[in-house]
Amino acid sequence: MLRNYSNSRTLGDNIRLGTLTAFTAGTINIASLLIFLSFTSNVTGHYAILAAEISKGNWGQVAVVGLWIFLFFFGGFVSNFIVINFNKRSKYFAHAMPLILEIICLLFVGIYGQFYYQKTLEETEYLVALMLFATGLQNGLTASISNFSVKTTHLTGTTTDLGILVSMFTQKKFRKNGELVARAKLLSSIMFAYVLGAVFSGLTYYYLEFRVFYVISLCLLVVIGYDAYKIHIRHFNTQYRYSKIYKKPNILAYLYDKIHGIPEIKEKREKKRKLVFED
């Protein structure tokens, strides 16, 4: 989900990444609505509130809402900044770091809310700001590594694109277009996962309360851990082959033999080349 980048990603990569992150976005949005009476997975409504507060001359609220919008923007900036600057060193590190930062933000909200939250206006504004930064990180990451194919924190563009695709599928030539069908599958999976996350949050909030952010963090850890597992297995097999080729046993080769059994390895002798001179 995180190793591949841009056009090298498959449909399966995007669907796995899209569904898991959309589920967390839906969960975050409903949890913040129930707790703080504010949406935190998108800023469309905040732009409207910003304009309304400017027209009323409430400059204090203008500053607060403006900060919220900026933090969502800054989250996307930070995600892409990390991806483009560390991608050459390690794709996995560059793509996982924004999610790690998001997990830290969500865990802070969960821990603070569970043990210290006094329901004051100032606390609410700060926690909403932190959650907007977290969702900005997530949206920026998914859009950046998928060449803008996956955006999971809001469904406005997703619903519009899916409506366009469905109208195109009324003609047979478009239904046979594999690229369009794949796009429709991706958008549908994102939409379904987002709604599922929102329903899950609504049903479990009254039991979990702020602990719901621990569940969200666990979902994001699954995204990070999936690729870490794949990379570990690949490295494991590489070390095993290295030890067999150079006849230098190590602990990885020993464990591999215990799990998979000792394979039969036939030694290949290289034929020496002979120079033949013609008369």
Side-chain angles (χ1 to χ4, degrees):
M1 285 185 281
L2 299 177
R3 290 169 297 160
N4 296 329
Y5 181 66
S6 190
N7 294 327
S8 64
R9 299 179 61 84
T10 64
L11 176 63
D13 292 333
N14 287 336
I15 287 180
R16 284 190 291 271
L17 178 66
T19 52
L20 283 172
T21 53
F23 178 86
T24 61
T27 309
I28 290 171
N29 205 33
I30 296 304
S32 65
L33 178 64
L34 294 173
I35 298 171
F36 306 120
L37 302 178
S38 178
F39 294 110
T40 56
S41 71
N42 62 82
V43 291
T44 304
H46 295 312
Y47 275 106
I49 295 172
L50 179 68
E53 297 299 336
I54 290 174
S55 65
K56 295 176 183 178
N58 296 332
W59 302 114
Q61 288 300 308
V62 168
V64 170
V65 179
L67 177 64
W68 289 353
I69 295 172
F70 171 77
L71 285 173
F72 188 88
F73 156 83
F74 188 63
F77 168 85
V78 170
S79 281
N80 194 62
F81 181 84
I82 294 173
V83 169
I84 62 178
N85 283 281
F86 294 95
N87 197 35
K88 291 183 179 179
R89 297 182 183 180
S90 171
K91 287 184 180 180
Y92 175 73
F93 171 81
H95 299 171
M97 184 52 63
L99 290 184
I100 294 174
L101 294 177
E102 182 183 0
I103 290 171
I104 293 171
C105 293
L106 295 176
L107 286 177
F108 178 85
V109 173
I111 294 171
Y112 186 89
Q114 185 178 357
F115 298 105
Y116 306 105
Y117 185 51
Q118 300 297 320
K119 298 183 179 180
T120 64
L121 179 60
E122 291 77 12
E123 287 177 308
T124 300
E125 290 173 347
Y126 286 129
L127 292 177
V128 168
L130 189 60
M131 292 175 69
L132 281 165
F133 175 70
T135 52
L137 284 168
Q138 177 180 308
N139 205 43
L141 173 69
T142 56
S144 178
I145 67 176
S146 67
N147 197 21
F148 299 95
S149 296
V150 180
K151 295 178 182 178
T152 58
T153 61
H154 55 278
L155 297 181
T156 305
T158 302
T159 306
T160 303
D161 293 347
L162 191 59
I164 293 171
L165 287 171
V166 171
S167 70
M168 294 175 70
F169 291 154
T170 58
Q171 296 187 11
K172 188 176 181 179
K173 62 178 180 179
F174 293 118
R175 291 197 298 269
K176 292 185 176 181
N177 188 315
E179 185 176 350
L180 294 178
V181 172
R183 178 68 176 165
K185 289 180 180 179
L186 174 62
L187 296 177
S188 299
S189 64
I190 290 173
M191 184 180 296
F192 176 78
Y194 188 96
V195 174
L196 184 63
V199 172
F200 170 81
S201 182
L203 292 175
T204 60
Y205 165 72
Y206 295 103
Y207 302 99
L208 299 176
E209 294 183 342
F210 278 94
R211 289 186 292 272
V212 71
F213 293 104
Y214 306 153
V215 178
I216 299 169
S217 300
L218 182 62
C219 292
L220 294 174
L221 281 175
V222 171
V223 177
I224 297 173
Y226 177 84
D227 279 49
Y229 171 77
K230 290 290 186 180
I231 292 171
H232 174 74
I233 292 299
R234 178 185 296 178
H235 180 71
F236 184 90
N237 291 336
T238 301
Q239 290 294 317
Y240 168 74
R241 290 195 299 269
Y242 178 88
S243 68
K244 287 299 183 182
I245 292 171
Y246 295 97
K247 297 182 179 179
K248 295 179 179 178
N250 55 39
I251 186 63
L252 292 175
Y254 174 78
L255 292 174
Y256 190 96
D257 290 342
K258 288 294 182 182
I259 296 171
H260 299 282
I262 302 175
E264 295 181 0
I265 300 176
K266 296 180 181 180
E267 295 182 357
K268 296 183 179 179
R269 296 180 180 179
E270 295 184 356
K271 295 181 179 180
K272 295 182 179 181
R273 295 181 180 178
K274 296 181 180 181
L275 295 176
V276 179
F277 296 95
E278 296 181 356
D279 293 335

